Structure formats: structure tokens, C-alpha cells
Amino acid sequence: MRVAEVVGRVLYGHGARHVFGVVGSGNFHVTNALVAAGARFVAAAHEGGAASMADGYARTAATVGLLSVHQGPGITNALTGLTEAAKSRTPMVVLAPEATAPRSNFFIDLPALAAAVGADFHRVRATHAAEDTGAAYRAAARGATVVLGLPLEVQQAVTEPWSGPVPAAAPTPVTAPQIEPLLAALQAARQPVFIAGRGARSAREPLTRLADACGALLAVSAAAKGLFAGNPWNLDVAGGFATPFAAELIGTADLVVAWGSTLNMWTTRHGELIPPSAVVVQVDHDPAAFGVNRPVDLAVAGEVTAVAEALLARLGVGISGPGGATIGGWRTPELAQRIRDHGRWRTVPYQDEGGGAPATIDPRTISAALDDLLPADRTVVVDSGNFMGYPSMWLDVPDVAGFCFTQAFQSVGLGLASALGAAVARPDRLTVAAVGDGGFVMSATELVTAVRLALPLLVVIYDDAAYGAEVHHFGPDGHPLETVTFPETDLAAIARGYGCDGLTVRTVDDLEPVRHWLAGPRTRPLVIDAKVSAARGSWWLEEAFRGH
């Protein structure tokens, strides 16, 4: 059996069921081996799109994503999406053929490339093909983006046949987390807040029970939006996307516990959200993450679920102070009512800035209208740009798997392809891709892929005819903006040219065709070109630019 076939079989044996990519000579045989084993190959229009599809698939399906590309330019075309995945710690394996001859046109220093973007690197050897491939998959499953080097000559080498079984992973030594200082902090707190991040996405149940035991309010970083959906003590996203009421409550906390979150500038509003008097605790499985963005008073090493369950085992029903009084006293019926009344952006009043000639629609207004119109069982995928807070704050999601936030590298143009991967992962849900006009134009070629797959995908373009972030960053200082503003373009017509349904929206009434599309059969994507008002920039982006 040739090594390329072994690699494909081993990956399938470990659980790989979808592979995204663009096939060339270097990855032809390994991709076909995966297909022959039973995996589904999703052909993208461009390797950059394929990388984002694999990323979006892995995040939404909570499994390892697989990307297959050509040697040399195939991997460099995928580099931006690969960097986003690595920075997000997306579990993903990149099948990267290697031209090892330095004088080959296709030669690149693949290990150095992987290291430069923060990805792990593994290489398949002819005599250890199954072992090396399995090790790469297991590393990805533990939370890494892995570039798997496949030297061309090694792929063609003949080796021992492989048909399984999948070798068992060596057990990881488990050390009991040191919870005593955190236990004491929880016992002392009267107004605790939990902020759960990307590293806590699988820990809803133990964190919810722990919060109930100690009277904590619940919040998340943007990467974990939806984790506590439906919980009456959920404040939703902390940081720049926080409602005024959520920011007020977090600002009065006496204990903030970050679960799998590094409390970056987005989550803390450059440190201003968390009061200086609060005790700040960080729980993370990676000690290197402690204090990377701000000082913490206490660091607890361990998996989020393990730490929460260890605390619960010590606490029993609840935390009791002197005389048996329950600790964490700010969970009152009155506060629960205030969270219901003021805890969502839909309840925050605003001055509608739509209108004009030609008419534009306020991005908050269209987001709220879509939230009412679309089914609750949805996946929302958000690209980067000035617009990104509107869908993130006004579109509810049913759970943490329903939100995909492509912001780790802050690259414009990854959202559309990421949404395709998410749609493949969860065909039972409506996938909504929220993009700006700049990001849409960068990635529109993947509409070809969406049409080929007949995906029931809704693409919402927040179209301000500009790179809005730059307009609102530099415009107030009087800088010329001709390089970042553009004539109005009929993006709905472009979408129709790719085979999608296309709709231009300037008022809420223009959304009526969406209702008919939702009724079915939804055999091709619908692209909404929303001509949004752009009188001012977003407040969250103003905060972000302070960190540049």
C-alpha cells in the first residue's frame, strides 16, 4: 500500500468524515484515499476559502477539521485562513504536500511557515506513516491546528498495508487541580461574575451548576457567545459587545473568574470593564496563558470542566458562610427581572439613523428585524469589520455551537467561507453569514461552492460602500478617504450571477421576500445586499483601535 493511501485510511479511522480543499497533483492521491475510505470531499473555489471552510466546520461540529491543498502555492493560498485557525486553536489537520528539493518551484520551508503562524508541524515518514498520521490527528483533537507535511516522494513510497485498528492514544497524566485558593475566593465573594471564553465552550453544565451554587452571574467572551443561552442570569457577551446594563453589573463585581478566557482587550474594554477592587482569577489548562493580557490575582491550572467539578464536589448544594447563610447574595428576583428587561441589545433604545436618498437602513434595525424573522435554530457566522457588532449583538443564537466568530487574526474576508463549513457541519440549522461589503467582495468566489452544494445559506451584507473601519478611524482627523470608499455597487446582482437568489434591502419592508425564501425549499443561497447607514463608526471598533 502506498503511503498516501495509508494516510487517508488512518485519518478516516480516527473519525475524519469531511475534507475541504482544492485538489492538485500533490494531494490528489491522499484526497482520493480519504474519499475511498468513506469521507466526503468538499471542493472549494480557492484554497483560502477551503481553509476557512475547514475552520468553520471544525468549530461548529466540535470535531477535527481537515484541509487538503496542493504543495507550494496551495498552502500559501490557504495561509490567512490557516492563521485564523491556529490563533483560534481550532482542531484542524492540514494535508500539506511537500516538494523537498530546494530548487523545486514548489519548495517552501513548511516547518518554518507553520511555526510563523502558530500551527504545529508534523511530518509523515514512509516507515511510520500510520503512527505519524495518528499522532497529528490526536494533536489536533487536543486543540491544535496541525500542518501535516507529506513529502511527495514519501507519499508514493510502498509500505505495509493498514486497515486498523486505530492505535489508542497514550493516557494523559491527570493532576488534581489546586482549588483551595479559588474555593476561598468564592466563599468570600458577594458579587461574583464568571466570564467563560473559548476554552470553556464544552463546560456549560458544570459552570452553570457552580454559578448556581455560589450565586454568580454569567458572561462570555465573544468567542463563546451562546454558551449560557436561556439562563436567567446570563449577561451575554462581556467587553465591547456588552449591553450597558451588563457592563454596569460586571463593573460592580467583587470577584471575576475567567474560565478558559485570557481576558483580552476586547473582553475587558482595555481593562476598564473589571473594577480595580475586584479579585481576578484565571482558570486555564495552559499555564502559559496566565496573565498574558492583564495581571490576575490567582491562577488555577486545569481543564475548565475538571476545576468546576472539583469545586462542586467540595461545595455540595451551595456555599455557606457563618451561620449557614448563602454566599453570593446578588441573585435576587429584582435583579432577574432587570436582566430580562435590560440584558439584551433588543431592549436598549436607539435613534434610528436610516432614511435619506437613496434610502439606507440602520444596521441595528435590519439586525433586529432579521432576528424576528429567522428561525431560532440557527448558526450565525460573523466576518470582521466595522459592522461586526450588529449581528453579534442583535442576532440571538441557541447555543455556543450556533456562533462562529472569525476574529482571532482580525482578517476581513473569512466569514463567508467559514459559514459554508458551518453549514456542512449543521445542515439541520439555517446558517447565516454576516459580512461587510469589503469582505463579501474578497470572498464572493465561494458562492460558486455554496451553489454547487445547494446550501440553505443566508448571506447578509452590511453594505456601506466602504471599508468602514478605516473611514471611521481616519475620517474624524480629516484624512482623505478616497482609497477606502467606493461607488454604490449592486451586490445582489453579483450574487445572482453566481446562481444565488439576490435581494437589495433599504427598508424593513424590503425583507418580505426573505419570508418566502425561508418557507422553502431553500435549494440555493439567498444574498441580502443591505444598504446600511454609515453616519458614524461603531463604538466597539473605537475601543479596539485604541489597542493599535
Side-chain angles (χ1 to χ4, degrees):
M1 186 180 292
R2 296 196 184 277
V3 167
E5 187 175 353
V6 171
V7 172
R9 289 193 180 191
V10 170
L11 290 170
Y12 184 83
H14 275 79
R17 294 296 180 266
H18 288 82
V19 54
F20 301 83
V22 177
V23 170
S25 60
N27 63 328
F28 182 85
H29 295 297
V30 69
T31 304
N32 280 341
L34 275 158
V35 173
R40 178 190 181 191
F41 176 65
V42 179
H46 188 274
E47 290 92 349
S52 293
M53 289 178 207
D55 185 9
Y57 171 85
R59 298 189 199 201
T60 306
T63 190
V64 175
L66 222 57
L67 170 65
S68 180
V69 295
H70 190 271
Q71 66 269 25
I75 188 71
T76 58
N77 279 348
L79 198 56
T80 301
L82 170 57
T83 305
E84 167 67 28
K87 287 179 177 289
S88 297
R89 298 185 294 282
T90 298
M92 190 163 89
V93 175
V94 182
L95 301 176
E98 283 188 275
T100 55
R103 295 186 63 81
S104 167
N105 287 358
F106 292 127
F107 175 79
I108 56 174
D109 188 342
L110 201 54
L113 181 148
V117 301
D120 289 1
F121 181 79
H122 291 232
R123 180 177 282 127
V124 168
R125 298 164 293 175
T127 53
H128 298 82
E131 176 187 341
D132 294 340
T133 303
Y137 190 94
R138 290 191 295 271
R142 291 192 296 269
T145 298
V146 179
V147 175
L148 181 59
L150 302 172
L152 298 178
E153 65 278 9
V154 170
Q155 288 192 59
Q156 294 303 311
V158 176
T159 188
E160 291 297 317
W162 186 90
S163 58
V166 172
T172 302
V174 178
T175 303
Q178 300 300 308
I179 62 169
E180 297 301 328
L182 176 53
L183 180 63
L186 290 170
Q187 290 172 328
R190 295 299 183 272
Q191 296 186 168
V193 170
F194 290 176
I195 299 179
R198 192 190 312 276
R201 285 172 59 96
S202 62
R204 174 187 168 111
E205 193 272 338
L207 287 180
T208 300
R209 288 196 292 124
L210 182 61
D212 289 343
C214 65
L217 304 184
L218 297 163
V220 293
S221 71
K225 180 180 171 66
L227 180 62
F228 301 120
N231 188 288
W233 306 106
N234 176 30
L235 304 180
D236 203 20
V237 179
F241 291 170
T243 63
F245 185 55
E248 173 191 329
L249 289 174
I250 297 171
T252 60
D254 59 2
L255 172 67
V256 174
V257 186
W259 301 90
S261 168
T262 59
L263 297 177
N264 63 23
M265 68 175 187
W266 301 86
T267 305
T268 66
R269 292 188 171 178
H270 290 268
E272 296 177 1
L273 186 67
I274 298 173
S277 59
V279 174
V280 179
V281 182
Q282 188 177 350
V283 180
D284 204 289
H285 76 282
D286 182 8
F290 294 139
V292 294
N293 289 307
R294 59 151 293 152
V296 295
D297 300 297
L298 174 62
V300 180
E303 295 289 345
V304 167
T305 296
V307 174
E309 289 180 343
L311 288 163
L312 283 163
R314 290 290 304 277
L315 296 175
V317 175
I319 299 179
S320 294
T326 300
I327 300 298
W330 68 343
R331 278 195 180 193
T332 64
E334 293 77 17
L335 180 58
Q337 185 62 52
R338 291 183 69 197
I339 292 173
R340 286 193 293 273
D341 292 343
H342 306 290
R344 297 174 64 220
W345 276 101
R346 293 292 304 273
T347 65
V348 178
Y350 66 91
Q351 181 67 43
D352 192 296
E353 296 177 351
T360 59
I361 188 168
D362 191 300
R364 295 163 291 189
T365 300
I366 187 173
S367 300
L370 287 170
D371 190 50
D372 291 337
L373 187 60
L374 303 180
D377 205 18
R378 64 182 74 147
T379 304
V380 177
V381 184
V382 182
D383 201 356
S384 189
N386 181 67
F387 77 94
M388 66 187 184
Y390 302 115
S392 299
M393 295 187 294
W394 269 266
L395 295 182
D396 287 337
V397 293
D399 51 36
V400 73
F403 192 68
C404 182
F405 198 55
T406 63
Q407 304 299 325
F409 196 33
Q410 289 185 247
S411 171
V412 172
L414 306 184
L416 177 58
S418 297
L420 267 64
V424 171
R426 292 298 303 266
D428 57 313
R429 289 182 167 180
L430 173 68
T431 300
V432 182
V435 301
D437 50 310
F440 173 77
V441 172
M442 287 183 185
S443 58
T445 184
E446 293 303 344
L447 290 178
V448 168
T449 307
V451 170
R452 286 173 180 166
L453 298 174
L455 292 177
L457 175 71
L458 178 66
V459 181
V460 183
I461 309 169
Y462 290 77
D463 182 3
D464 61 358
Y467 291 131
E470 282 65 36
V471 167
H472 298 295
H473 184 41
F474 296 108
D477 293 327
H479 295 291
L481 299 175
E482 289 79 8
T483 56
V484 291
T485 54
F486 308 100
E488 183 174 297
T489 304
D490 190 346
L491 300 179
I494 291 174
R496 288 191 290 270
Y498 279 106
C500 303
D501 290 332
L503 175 66
T504 300
V505 171
R506 297 182 183 275
T507 68
V508 169
D509 291 341
D510 294 336
L511 289 171
E512 185 60 29
V514 179
R515 194 183 308 276
H516 300 297
W517 180 82
L518 289 170
R522 289 191 251 167
T523 54
R524 57 182 179 177
L526 171 62
V527 177
I528 297 174
D529 180 9
K531 305 297 187 182
V532 297
S533 55
R536 55 176 159 172
S538 54
W539 61 93
W540 60 86
L541 209 59
E542 291 175 358
E543 291 178 354
F545 277 131
R546 297 210 314 262
H548 289 182

